[in-house]
Amino acid sequence: MSSVDMYMLYHGLMLPKETHSAESLKFAQEFTFKDDDVAVAVYPKSGTIWMQEILPLVLNGGDLTPIQSIPNWDRVPWLEERRLALVVDKLDSPRGLVTHFPYHLMPPSFHASKAKVIYVMRNPKDVMVSSYHFHRMAQFLETPATLDDFMEKFLEGKVLFGKWTDHMKSWRGSDLGDRIMHITYEEMVQDLPAALRRMSDFLGRNLSEEVIQKIAEHCSFETMKNNNMSNFSLVPKMYMNSDTSPFLRKGIVGDWKNHFSPKQLNRFTSVICKEMEGEIFSLPWSMDSSLTGAEGEKLEI
Ligand code: A3P
């Protein structure tokens, strides 16, 4: 299948036709947000399904029923995908949603509501690597020729949901005040209970330490890898071939070091740094272009 058959263009962004349609995008634009809804905004491959595991448990005080009985895509559906229209009436309040939309594509009702949003951001080098492997296993996405080739597409924004920098800048620059919380994938890997405490406070949940520890245990990489409601094993291999690369692949910080050549690192770093010129905020990771540069030390969000 050619890329023309695989993707549709929406406001300049490439979206897979398998999961998106003109109807689903219209449904998203007309979707009515409620004040107690919680949206997770996240660029693909930055921790979406992790948040689909975490959010219901933070909202319901640690009751494991949703993560044990509802597949992740129906439990915390994507705002822009076809499934939402089918499951929206079954969602318990407060509802959790995920979205890969940049801020400016959020529907009018989101802006009119008091719904809160958690923006999850991940080091773009690891996002690129994770996305490369995802494109190899997802049969509804164009298979990358080489890592080099994929990197160029990623830097140009010719991948799912466009350029990483555009997405991140749109949400970092949003005027949502205390309706938005920013967190990084790296913070979550480093200390998940601390990340959960921040989310609990932000969502006014006041979870006990016992509940925080319980949620952390059930949302660990290993537990999720064995949870059939979350590891995509329910999806036929003709759509997602886990023999090529599992969806829950490594779940670590810094896997880019196992993939990038010094030349690729230089190229990647210089493009990202150039696109950050003039921004008032800085990235929370070292964008050092040496392969030995410490990663994850500069976490100050
Ligand atoms: P890797 O490919 O680097 O392993 P998304 O859900 O946005 O598509 O992101 C997928 C990435 O999040 C994958 O990264 C996946 O392994 C990682 N991930 C999912 N659940 C995780 C968890 N509990 N702990 C750490 N990483 C997790």
Side-chain angles (χ1 to χ4, degrees):
M1 217 193 288
S2 76
S3 72
V4 177
D5 296 322
M6 286 176 161
Y7 301 104
M8 60 188 292
L9 268 186
Y10 183 65
H11 294 271
L13 304 179
M14 284 166 59
L15 314 186
K17 289 184 185 171
E18 187 64 41
T19 41
H20 302 75
S21 64
E23 293 73 30
S24 76
L25 295 162
K26 184 165 180 282
F27 192 85
Q29 285 310 319
E30 291 171 358
F31 183 76
T32 306
F33 269 91
K34 297 185 197 165
D35 287 342
D36 62 351
D37 285 343
V38 182
V40 173
V42 52
Y43 185 83
K45 311 319 291 176
S46 306
T48 320
I49 69 151
W50 201 358
M51 289 302 293
Q52 287 172 325
E53 206 83 352
I54 289 172
L55 188 58
L57 303 189
V58 170
L59 291 174
N60 75 13
D63 174 2
L64 301 180
T65 313
I67 64 165
Q68 290 173 340
S69 59
I70 313 172
N72 60 297
W73 53 83
D74 285 353
R75 187 195 310 143
V76 182
W78 274 266
L79 173 65
E80 56 274 9
E81 292 195 3
R82 297 167 191 260
R83 292 291 301 178
L84 179 61
L86 305 176
V87 298
V88 68
D89 294 335
K90 296 184 203 137
L91 298 175
D92 288 335
S93 279
R95 305 179 300 184
L97 295 153
V98 287
T99 184
H100 293 319
F101 274 155
Y103 180 55
H104 61 272
L105 291 185
M106 290 301 278
S109 74
F110 171 75
H111 298 287
S113 76
K114 295 193 180 100
K116 289 189 173 177
V117 54
I118 300 177
Y119 185 66
V120 186
M121 187 164 89
R122 184 181 190 185
N123 187 326
K125 292 181 256 182
D126 282 335
V127 172
M128 203 283 286
V129 168
S130 179
S131 191
Y132 168 72
H133 290 290
F134 181 56
H135 279 70
R136 291 173 53 239
M137 67 89 80
Q139 306 302 302
F140 52 89
L141 301 176
E142 195 176 18
T143 307
T146 60
L147 183 75
D148 229 25
D149 184 63
F150 187 77
M151 182 182 283
E152 284 313 311
K153 287 194 165 138
F154 183 87
L155 292 173
E156 286 168 27
K158 291 189 178 148
V159 289
L160 303 182
F161 285 90
K163 255 191 210 178
W164 179 84
T165 40
D166 288 346
H167 196 274
M168 179 273 300
K169 284 183 202 174
S170 82
W171 282 100
R172 293 289 298 177
S174 72
D175 49 3
L176 290 168
D178 59 8
R179 281 179 59 197
I180 189 164
M181 167 183 158
H182 292 274
I183 194 157
T184 62
Y185 175 93
E186 290 76 14
E187 277 178 87
M188 289 163 62
V189 169
Q190 200 170 299
D191 189 345
L192 187 54
L196 294 171
R197 273 178 226 116
R198 278 189 61 205
M199 291 181 209
S200 163
D201 289 348
F202 173 66
L203 299 173
R205 257 38 211 181
N206 274 325
L207 300 181
S208 68
E209 199 46 36
E210 196 189 332
V211 171
I212 293 284
Q213 294 301 333
K214 178 182 176 188
I215 298 176
E217 190 189 320
H218 285 276
C219 296
S220 73
F221 183 77
E222 286 311 323
T223 313
M224 280 181 63
K225 213 173 159 62
N226 291 318
N227 181 357
N228 289 343
M229 291 293 143
S230 310
N231 60 15
F232 288 97
S233 57
L234 298 176
V235 175
K237 287 203 171 155
M238 60 178 288
Y239 296 111
M240 284 188 175
N241 190 349
S242 54
D243 295 340
T244 307
S245 178
F247 189 99
L248 281 130
R249 194 181 58 90
K250 285 195 178 173
I252 59 168
V253 171
D255 193 35
W256 64 268
K257 290 177 189 167
N258 301 316
H259 290 75
F260 281 35
S261 67
K263 193 171 158 220
Q264 286 169 330
L265 179 59
N266 227 334
R267 162 98 183 119
F268 193 92
T269 307
S270 67
V271 172
I272 299 288
C273 288
K274 182 134 193 47
E275 299 204 352
M276 289 306 294
E277 277 173 14
E279 292 300 323
I280 50 167
F281 58 89
S282 58
L283 296 177
W285 317 276
S286 156
M287 276 294 140
D288 188 347
S289 59
S290 81
L291 270 170
T292 50
E295 195 64 24
E297 279 183 355
K298 192 177 158 248
L299 270 180
E300 64 215 12
I301 275 186

